[in-house]
Amino acid sequence: MTRTVTSVVDGQPVPGDRTVASLNPADLDDAVGEVSLAPGRIFTAAAVVARNAQRAWADVPAPVRGRAIAHIGRVVEENAESLARLVTREIGKPYAEALGEVREIVDTCDFFLGEGRRLYGQTVPSEMPDKQLFTFRNPVGTVAVITAGNFPVAVPSWYIVPALLTGNTIVWKPAEYSAVVSNAFHDLFVKGGGLPDGVFNLVHADGADTYAGLQESLELGYIDKVGFTGSSEVGREIGALTGRHLQTACLELGGKNPLVVTPSADLDLAVEGALFSGFGTAGQRCTSLGTVIVHESLHDEFLRRFTAAVDAAAVGDPTQDVLMGPLLDAKFAERYEKFLGWVQPQHTVHGRTGRITSGNPRDGFVGDPAKGLYYHPVVVDGVRPGDELFDQETFGPIVGVTSYSTLDEAIDLANAPGYGLSSSIYTTNPADAFAYRRGISAGMVSINNSTSGAEAHLPFGGNGKSGNGSRQSGMWVLDQFTRWQSVNWDYSGRLQKAQMDVADLDADLGFRLDDQP
């Protein structure tokens, strides 16, 4: 039987007004489930429920909320393999990667379970006697979280875990093409973790209805913060919408992530990093490698080794030991076909392009390519600024290569597309590493590591077209979901006016030391 998943509001399933199928992209004959999509009014209703539940949730002592996060982490850990298998089935992510993604939920919970006892404020000395100054972290209120499906469980946890820990309630709108995984994630948090009804609500809706519901919820004052992971284009719209309500969204957007190879680089290590960051998850990460920027003295040798590694990589059935499986969904396959159309006569394409079929085969393919949305991994040499392949994010298994002569030129090339999420440099020269770190606009820099890979206790986020400077993960994300409140307590029994009733010590500013021989 095909499972039908619905929105869950105040602990109750809420059917939508139409259904769509969620298909396994590795086997399009396998319907993972049907998704009941809700109209915008359901999003608004969920925001009302979340808002009504927020005060009681915030009144739960923060250490107790931390214990709730601890329980969720243990429940996810006990269900890790089942959840990872579902991730692989619904979005086609290779199982090893899917299991690592589930582990990231556990790591995030492990970090934040202790933050319930460390939501520190400060005592601040006053400039006047008999007066004390304090600061407190307060929850923002009700948070709308809208996430993509390429990381259907790890990325939502980056928002939802710290938001819950700090006393906020949630309305979560995941991607339609990962809806079955999303319901499993929600069940683990609510049924497994024991969250009260109304604290964490799930809404399945398409983009237009989500925007309409979010807009109405903001206008009526039901939503206090928006977290969004997705494309730069949609991120601009979310940012503009929240800005009209004097809110700043937490935006984690796309990337055109550079990897610089210097003359001192370990070439084999650089090739390994480029292969994983370029083609892991079939290039469908916000941190996927966009362009390799390799020193002109190494260009030909790097390209030889890199293309050989791509040709030898295992591609196919994501339940097997492969580097990459299918594209996530038919809409991404259609978009990727457009990206392939950006190849120009001045570019050199290495290997086959397009969908893998019996007429367009890939040597060593694992499984049956006719079953799913499988595409050839592609390396395109000779990309330069002004080329769409160089300037724009290409969400799929395609990597550009270009060359440079000086490190300053490499940094200029790395910054040229205007994104600023992740970046990498391969070098054994500390001076090059620090010069690159100083000059690159990206929010994340890897030295002798790939552009992909996040740890739960390090800030994650980008600048420019990759985001608005907000950061997720670690203690830095607390600033997204809390607001500082300052308190001054005057127990002097009289009105003391700051900057006016302040005592001062008299100083002799004309004092000079005697000249001594």
Side-chain angles (χ1 to χ4, degrees), residues 87-412:
V87 168
T88 295
R89 183 182 173 204
E90 190 165 32
I91 68 163
K93 180 172 289 192
Y95 178 74
E97 281 194 61
L99 196 60
E101 181 177 345
V102 174
R103 181 71 223 181
E104 199 155 345
I105 309 172
V106 177
D107 292 347
T108 299
C109 289
D110 284 352
F111 180 88
F112 282 104
L113 67 89
E115 290 304 299
R117 297 182 184 274
R118 286 191 297 268
L119 287 177
Y120 297 144
Q122 295 171 311
T123 57
V124 183
S126 174
E127 63 190 22
M128 290 174 282
D130 298 324
K131 186 177 182 181
Q132 293 292 329
L133 308 180
F134 310 90
T135 64
F136 295 85
R137 279 193 185 273
N138 287 338
V140 172
T142 300
V143 177
V145 176
I146 303 169
T147 55
N150 57 335
F151 281 84
V153 295
V155 169
S157 74
W158 295 355
Y159 293 101
I160 292 165
V161 170
L164 290 171
L165 183 279
T166 50
N168 302 281
T169 51
I170 308 291
V171 178
W172 178 36
K173 204 299 285 190
E176 302 98 292
Y177 59 89
S178 60
V180 179
V181 168
S182 301
N183 272 68
F185 178 98
H186 183 264
D187 283 347
L188 289 169
F189 273 60
V190 175
K191 295 179 180 178
L195 295 177
D197 290 344
V199 168
F200 179 18
N201 304 278
L202 169 65
V203 175
H204 294 296
D206 65 17
D209 281 317
T210 299
Y211 189 88
L214 178 62
Q215 184 175 40
E216 182 179 40
S217 298
L218 286 165
E219 288 172 352
L220 295 173
Y222 300 147
I223 294 294
D224 304 294
K225 180 75 178 184
V226 179
F228 172 77
T229 294
S231 70
S232 299
E233 293 73 21
V234 177
R236 286 190 184 96
E237 297 299 318
I238 297 291
L241 177 60
T242 55
R244 290 198 293 271
H245 297 277
L246 302 181
Q247 294 186 25
T248 302
C250 181
L251 300 176
E252 198 277 286
L253 309 177
K256 189 67 177 179
N257 307 295
L259 185 152
V260 172
V261 181
T262 70
S264 67
D266 178 332
L267 274 191
D268 287 335
L269 186 63
V271 165
E272 186 180 9
L275 184 69
F276 175 73
S277 57
F279 301 109
T281 319
Q284 299 165 112
R285 305 182 185 121
C286 57
T287 56
S288 288
L289 171 59
T291 305
V292 181
I293 304 169
V294 59
H295 191 265
E296 58 192 8
S297 66
L298 299 176
H299 173 272
D300 292 350
E301 180 60 19
F302 173 85
L303 191 62
R304 184 188 69 79
R305 296 190 196 189
F306 184 40
T307 54
V310 173
D311 289 343
V315 174
D317 182 354
T319 66
Q320 305 302 311
D321 185 15
V322 297
L323 172 66
M324 59 173 266
L327 297 191
L328 296 164
D329 184 77
K331 69 178 181 180
F332 294 107
E334 292 171 10
R335 191 181 305 171
Y336 181 64
E337 297 275 4
K338 184 183 78 169
F339 301 150
L340 291 175
W342 291 351
V343 175
Q344 297 298 309
Q346 69 270 25
H347 301 148
T348 302
V349 178
H350 293 266
R352 292 176 178 269
T353 65
R355 192 163 177 175
I356 302 172
T357 64
S358 58
N360 186 23
R362 177 178 172 84
D363 291 342
F365 186 88
V366 180
D368 181 0
K371 287 186 173 182
L373 300 169
Y374 295 103
Y375 280 76
H376 287 280
V378 181
V379 177
V380 181
D381 187 28
V383 298
R384 299 298 292 177
D387 299 344
E388 287 178 296
L389 275 179
F390 183 93
D391 294 339
Q392 303 298 326
E393 181 180 30
T394 49
F395 199 69
I398 185 168
V399 172
V401 178
T402 193
S403 59
Y404 73 95
S405 58
T406 68
L407 186 61
D408 284 344
E409 182 189 0
I411 293 170
D412 288 343

Side-chain angles (χ1 to χ4, degrees), residues 398-467:
I398 185 168
V399 172
V401 178
T402 193
S403 59
Y404 73 95
S405 58
T406 68
L407 186 61
D408 284 344
E409 182 189 0
I411 293 170
D412 288 343
L413 287 167
N415 288 331
Y419 293 85
L421 184 57
S422 185
S423 64
S424 175
I425 184 170
Y426 279 79
T427 183
T428 55
N429 184 339
D432 286 350
F434 281 104
Y436 184 75
R437 183 217 65 78
R438 187 170 60 252
I440 195 70
S441 62
M444 299 180 289
V445 180
S446 291
I447 301 165
N448 297 326
N449 206 332
S450 76
T451 60
S452 295
E455 296 192 38
H457 49 285
L458 197 66
F460 185 101
N463 311 312
K465 292 192 286 187
S466 293

